[in-house]
Amino acid sequence: MAITQRLELRQGQALVMTPQLQQAIKLLQLSNLELVAFVEQELERNPLLEREDNTDSPVDAPQRDGAVEENPSTDTALAREDFSPADELDAEREDVFAEDATPAAPSPPLADWTAVRANGASIDDDNFLERGIARAVSLQDYLLEQLSISGVDAAERLIGAALIDGIDEAGYLRVETGDVAARLNADANDVERVLGVIQGFDPTGVAARNLSECLALQLREKKRLDPAMAALLSNLDLVARRDLTGLCARCEVDAEDIADMITEIRALTPKPGLAFGSEPLQAVVPDVFVREAPDGGWLVELNTDTLPRLLVNARYYTTVAQRSRDKDSKAYQTECLNNANWLVKSLDQRARTILKVASEIVRQQDAFLTYGVRHLRPLNLRAIAESIAMHESTVSRVTSNKYMATPRGVFELKYFFTAAIQATDGAEAHSAESVRDRIRELIQRENGEALSDNRIVDILLADGVNIARRTVAKYREAMRIPSSAERRRLSQIDFGPWKSQAPPA
């Protein structure tokens, strides 16, 4: 069989993911904080982008003269602009200054010594007080300062620095003393002795190797570490399991003493190092506001403060394009123009898509906004996608890391998507979130008798909710609610609310 060459023409369809399309998809799933960071990078990289000064919403605001469309008519109209004042800002080729020719700032006269400070700021400076504020001290720096005045010798100070370097942000020692001794070629007893010195530093409980030791250090400082308390700290697993009988046997005290000891432990600090160098909590900023309309409906609007407003500097582009003669320069300018136009359009499309999805969610969950979580309807991505003629993946990206401020609180958009639990009488299904809220209420309203999972199933069946016992147990465990047997032990002694999480090991 002879091998021959031939040309064939085939026609087919394929999805091509251009860089611009990938960028538009990426913008959909970014949160408002991530979007701001992304826009800042684009402003630094693209010279044709600039911020819009007015406060109009990008969805409702008309296109300003600064936005360039990719057509010849815009360039022709902009070419008639008078850019002569901008030429005065350009420097000539001869206006070049040597790097060492920059004039230094004049020094204040020696007689005026009161206006001079170590940081270069004067009393008359508006930012003098701000510059004088000390920087935040980290936990390691704070411990090293105490180590330097603790009176240990140079070798022990080196061991102490290695131990402090192994303390995490919560204040716990995360390195083995044997490893530190081997690494520094030091005696293990010396490392333990230096660790004891560090454990006496402020904050109390720092450099502990586990939770029991951390609490013991704090109790020792208060002179409350008696044998019974030490036995309690050695059996924190029984405290976590609410095993009152086991605690009484191990500590050799009665239930009343156990209650007092647990109350005292709960007043201690399990993570003493978090007071130093912890990052401030970032408040959730809603992307969408929902308000009640005068006619009884709901008004849905975007939070314009979280939407970057960008424009394309058409005048600058036209000025530079007219003077460019190099092929590479023109290609770079065209690329910047295309990217800037595409980014502005992508941001506008992102805002419109978020508004469309949020409006449909509000329409579907109108009963939740009016009556509460018990009336939250079962909802999935497909229902929203079919209603607004979009793909499910688009709805999933839009609802990711987006928040809605409603009269009932701030919720993530994904909160409104819950599974369906069938009703017993053939009526409309119940949402999983409303059933969880019903289980939580039943347990919170217990009066003396702890409801078992089977009893909760019977109550829900009477209310028309067809649910299995294992589903009730799964929901209860997801809400970190103990079983009925554990709740009975809770009623005997105050171990704290069942919502609280167990202390870290």
Side-chain angles (χ1 to χ4, degrees):
M1 179 178 178
I3 299 177
T4 59
Q5 295 181 351
R6 59 180 179 177
L7 296 176
E8 291 184 358
L9 181 62
R10 296 181 180 180
Q11 184 178 3
Q13 293 181 349
L15 179 62
V16 179
M17 294 289 290
T18 62
Q20 291 82 3
L21 182 58
Q22 294 177 7
Q23 182 189 76
I25 295 176
K26 178 183 177 181
L27 291 179
L28 281 177
Q29 60 188 9
L30 293 181
S31 63
N32 48 29
L33 297 178
E34 295 171 341
L35 181 64
V36 170
F38 176 80
V39 170
E40 291 293 336
Q41 295 178 358
E42 292 297 321
L43 286 171
E44 295 179 359
R45 185 171 59 182
N46 196 328
L48 298 182
L49 283 174
E50 64 178 11
R51 299 182 187 276
E52 184 180 4
D53 295 332
N54 62 14
T55 58
D56 296 333
S57 172
V59 178
D60 303 326
Q63 186 82 359
R64 282 180 46 184
D65 296 338
V68 176
E69 297 292 338
E70 297 176 291
N71 54 67
S73 60
T74 305
D75 294 340
T76 304
L78 293 173
R80 293 194 295 267
E81 293 283 347
D82 182 18
F83 298 102
S84 56
D87 297 339
E88 301 176 359
L89 300 178
D90 294 335
E92 299 295 337
R93 294 178 179 272
E94 293 78 8
D95 297 339
V96 179
F97 299 93
E99 295 182 358
D100 57 351
T102 304
S107 302
L110 294 179
D112 190 14
W113 60 269
T114 57
V116 181
R117 292 295 182 268
N119 57 0
S122 63
I123 298 179
D124 298 332
D125 190 356
D126 295 337
N127 299 327
F128 173 73
L129 293 179
E130 296 181 4
R131 295 180 181 179
I133 297 177
R135 64 180 179 88
V137 179
S138 65
L139 177 62
Q140 277 73 17
D141 294 340
Y142 187 61
L143 295 177
L144 288 174
E145 291 178 0
Q146 299 179 71
L147 180 65
S148 62
I149 60 175
S150 61
V152 297
D153 55 27
E156 293 175 338
R157 192 157 51 243
L158 180 62
I159 296 175
L163 292 173
I164 292 175
D165 186 62
I167 297 177
D168 63 6
E169 60 180 6
Y172 287 88
L173 182 66
R174 296 308 182 189
V175 295
E176 297 292 337
T177 55
D179 296 340
V180 175
R183 178 157 48 92
L184 299 180
N185 195 20
D187 187 78
N189 295 329
D190 295 339
V191 176
E192 290 290 342
R193 184 172 60 257
V194 175
L195 177 60
V197 174
I198 296 176
Q199 289 179 346
F201 291 170
D202 185 66
T204 307
V206 73
R209 285 161 285 195
N210 50 57
L211 178 61
S212 299
E213 188 176 16
C214 178
L215 300 178
L217 291 173
Q218 299 179 52
L219 291 170
R220 183 180 294 113
E221 184 186 38
K222 297 181 178 181
K223 302 185 183 305
R224 287 289 298 119
L225 190 60
D226 51 28
M229 185 68 75
L232 181 67
L233 295 180
S234 301
N235 296 275
L236 290 180
D237 55 332
L238 298 181
V239 177
R241 295 199 303 265
R242 283 89 173 176
D243 189 354
L244 177 61
T245 304
L247 288 174
C248 292
R250 299 288 181 86
C251 300
E252 299 181 355
V253 293
D254 56 14
E256 184 178 356
D257 292 334
I258 293 292
D260 295 338
M261 293 161 64
I262 291 177
T263 302
E264 190 170 358
I265 287 178
R266 290 174 59 187
L268 303 177
T269 304
K271 297 181 179 180
L274 292 185
F276 297 84
S278 58
E279 296 182 0
L281 296 178
Q282 184 67 44
V284 174
V285 180
D287 301 85
V288 181
F289 290 114
V290 178
R291 298 183 177 90
E292 189 174 0
D295 58 355
W298 301 98
L299 297 176
V300 183
E301 60 182 6
L302 293 173
N303 184 4
T304 56
D305 294 337
T306 63
L307 299 176
R309 292 177 285 271
L310 300 180
L311 290 177
V312 183
N313 194 334
R315 296 186 176 183
Y316 179 69
Y317 168 75
T318 305
T319 304
V320 176
Q322 290 176 346
R323 298 182 178 182
S324 298
R325 299 293 183 267
D326 183 65
K327 181 179 179 180
D328 295 337
S329 299
K330 292 183 178 180
Y332 173 73
Q333 296 161 13
T334 303
E335 181 183 1
C336 290
L337 177 62
N338 295 336
N339 292 338
N341 278 322
W342 185 269
L343 179 58
V344 172
K345 294 176 183 178
S346 299
L347 292 175
D348 180 76
Q349 183 63 32
R350 176 184 181 273
R352 294 178 185 274
T353 305
I354 293 176
L355 183 61
K356 183 182 296 185
V357 172
S359 300
E360 183 60 25
I361 291 177
V362 170
R363 189 185 71 83
Q364 296 271 8
Q365 302 291 1
D366 174 78
F368 164 77
L369 297 174
T370 305
Y371 302 106
V373 68
R374 296 293 175 81
H375 298 269
L376 191 66
R377 296 178 52 193
L379 188 63
N380 52 31
L381 297 175
R382 177 178 297 181
I384 298 294
E386 292 177 352
S387 300
I388 61 178
M390 288 186 176
H391 198 272
E392 291 183 41
S393 61
T394 303
V395 178
S396 177
R397 292 186 180 95
V398 170
T399 55
S400 177
N401 298 321
K402 310 296 188 306
Y403 294 87
M404 177 187 297
T406 69
R408 296 194 174 275
V410 179
F411 301 92
E412 189 178 7
L413 293 184
K414 287 188 177 296
Y415 172 82
F416 299 97
F417 297 91
T418 60
I421 297 179
Q422 298 300 323
T424 56
D425 52 359
E428 184 179 1
H430 304 271
S431 69
E433 186 62 32
S434 63
V435 174
R436 278 193 289 266
D437 184 75
R438 176 63 174 156
I439 295 174
R440 183 188 300 109
E441 182 187 22
L442 288 174
I443 296 177
Q444 287 179 341
R445 294 176 61 181
E446 290 176 342
N447 187 12
E449 179 184 1
L451 298 176
S452 64
D453 293 342
N454 290 327
R455 178 56 181 159
I456 294 176
V457 169
D458 296 337
I459 296 176
L460 293 177
L461 287 175
D463 293 341
V465 181
N466 187 10
I467 189 172
R469 188 201 62 82
R470 61 180 180 272
T471 305
V472 172
K474 181 181 68 174
Y475 288 170
R476 176 180 53 77
E477 292 173 358
M479 293 184 291
R480 303 186 67 84
I481 300 177
S483 63
S484 58
E486 293 178 348
R487 296 200 302 275
R488 290 192 197 98
R489 289 197 293 266
L490 277 173
S491 61
Q492 302 175 9
I493 182 174
D494 182 18
F495 281 91
W498 52 260
K499 287 183 180 180
S500 62
Q501 299 182 359

